[in-house]
Amino acid sequence: MTQRPEPGAAVVLVGGHESGNGVDLSFVPDLMPGVFVSPAGRPLHNLLTQLLAPDRDVSASGPQPVAVLPMTFGRNPTLIADTAKTLRWLAAAAGTGGPAPQLALSDPFGTPDHLTAWLRTAATEVRRRDPGAAVLITADAANPFDDADLYRISHLVRTHGAGIPVEAAAVGSVEALQEAVQRLRLLGSTHTYVVPAGFRRAPTVYSDPVPYGTGDFSGVEFYGPLMSEKAVLRIIGERVRDTLHALSHGRTGVEAGLQADHGHGYAHSHAFEESGGHSHPHGSGMAAGHPHSHPAPVGWN
């Protein structure tokens, strides 16, 4: 059994669409005591409220520190920002009745560059196993912007030395995955490895099993988890240690986290706006976001 990342601290892994809202991370608490897994939103709020309760694990040195780690490779910046909002609210609410809680937001598990590197490693391994095979990089469909990052990253994997066909598909059903496999067949591929671009460890789309190797999926194999359990645990440990070190110096990471999804969504221009500023939504979905104002640039009077 792996030791807890930091004695005396609790760790909460926040899952989004890259991990089936945390389902794909269920192995972590069994191997790393003191770790909890939660989706964002109300479940995270409730869990943190329990962990921050005044009667829980209060030692002579003060309350138990809690590190909250957004489990994203950077394709879900809204997860980071939403998590930061939960931490900010809880810290403000707790601070009114006593000392501020020892609560901090970790840097995300990874970045798009990390994901690209892991996927390139997978493509290289597929080429070693079967030089004639193709790679289909997949993820559960989320929203247009996060899904677009999947295709961008897959393009980088394909163009930077994979040496075999590499395609991508953000899918919302087993049928959609089958359609993506069929497109590869039409391009001439007879053997395809499906590689998950996230934390998926089982051959599923969402929670629906995929019958690899049979019927419409004959000649198709699930590559397996993108990262080993050991690698996932190692990175979690690194992120948590860095977070608790920053917290010991008074840095909670929340303010930076609140800005994580700024500009994520439709690009827009300020060139033709009125000089008095404007208000508009930003967000990760077609209509998601929050309105806020931008002051006019200096000199635009």
Side-chain angles (χ1 to χ4, degrees):
M1 179 177 288
T2 303
Q3 292 183 348
R4 59 194 304 158
E6 196 73 19
V11 177
V12 178
L13 309 180
V14 186
H17 61 72
E18 292 163 278
S19 65
N21 287 322
V23 172
D24 299 323
L25 303 168
S26 59
F27 71 94
V28 178
D30 293 335
L31 301 174
M32 189 174 275
V35 173
F36 304 84
V37 178
S38 173
R42 177 58 62 178
L44 175 63
H45 175 278
N46 292 343
L47 173 60
L48 290 175
T49 298
Q50 295 175 17
L51 293 175
L52 296 171
D55 59 345
R56 179 184 172 89
D57 294 339
V58 177
S59 65
S61 60
Q64 174 192 46
V66 180
V68 183
L69 172 54
M71 294 299 286
T72 173
F73 282 99
R75 284 205 312 114
N76 191 358
T78 305
L79 176 72
I80 305 169
D82 287 348
T83 301
K85 292 172 187 175
T86 298
L87 268 62
R88 179 179 62 177
W89 191 93
L90 285 170
T96 59
Q102 292 293 297
L103 180 63
L105 180 66
S106 298
D107 287 341
F109 178 89
T111 67
D113 285 347
H114 294 144
L115 179 57
T116 302
W118 281 106
L119 289 169
R120 288 182 65 189
T121 298
T124 300
E125 173 61 19
V126 169
R127 184 178 60 188
R128 187 194 65 80
R129 295 181 192 177
D130 184 353
V135 166
L136 179 61
I137 297 173
T138 66
D140 292 346
N143 62 68
F145 304 105
D146 295 1
D147 293 349
D149 282 342
L150 175 71
Y151 290 91
R152 181 186 69 84
I153 289 168
S154 299
H155 176 71
L156 294 175
V157 175
R158 179 171 56 250
T159 57
H160 290 166
I164 55 177
V166 176
E167 298 295 334
V171 296
S173 66
V174 175
E175 292 73 21
L177 178 61
Q178 193 277 324
E179 292 173 3
V181 168
Q182 182 60 25
R183 287 194 293 271
L184 273 170
R185 289 183 179 134
L186 293 174
L187 293 172
S189 297
T190 58
H191 192 191
T192 298
Y193 282 84
V194 174
V195 179
F199 299 97
R200 181 61 39 84
R201 311 194 74 77
T204 60
V205 173
Y206 295 112
S207 59
D208 298 325
V210 180
Y212 288 115
T214 64
D216 291 334
F217 288 94
S218 61
V220 184
E221 293 186 44
F222 181 58
Y223 173 81
L226 184 63
M227 302 175 65
S228 68
E229 291 182 351
K230 182 178 179 181
V232 173
L233 297 176
R234 175 179 59 80
I235 294 174
I236 290 172
E238 291 173 357
R239 296 290 178 271
V240 170
R241 283 189 291 274
D242 290 345
T243 301
L244 296 177
H245 176 75
L247 182 61
S248 70
H249 292 279
R251 299 189 298 272
T252 67
V254 171
E255 291 304 317
L258 291 170
Q259 301 298 317
D261 65 344
H262 187 79
H264 183 65
Y266 285 112
H268 61 277
S269 172
H270 296 256
F272 302 103
E273 300 289 349
E274 296 179 358
S275 61
H278 63 282
S279 178
H280 59 160
H282 283 279
S284 63
M286 298 290 288
H290 56 282
H292 59 278
S293 62
H294 290 265
V298 175
W300 281 27
N301 295 323

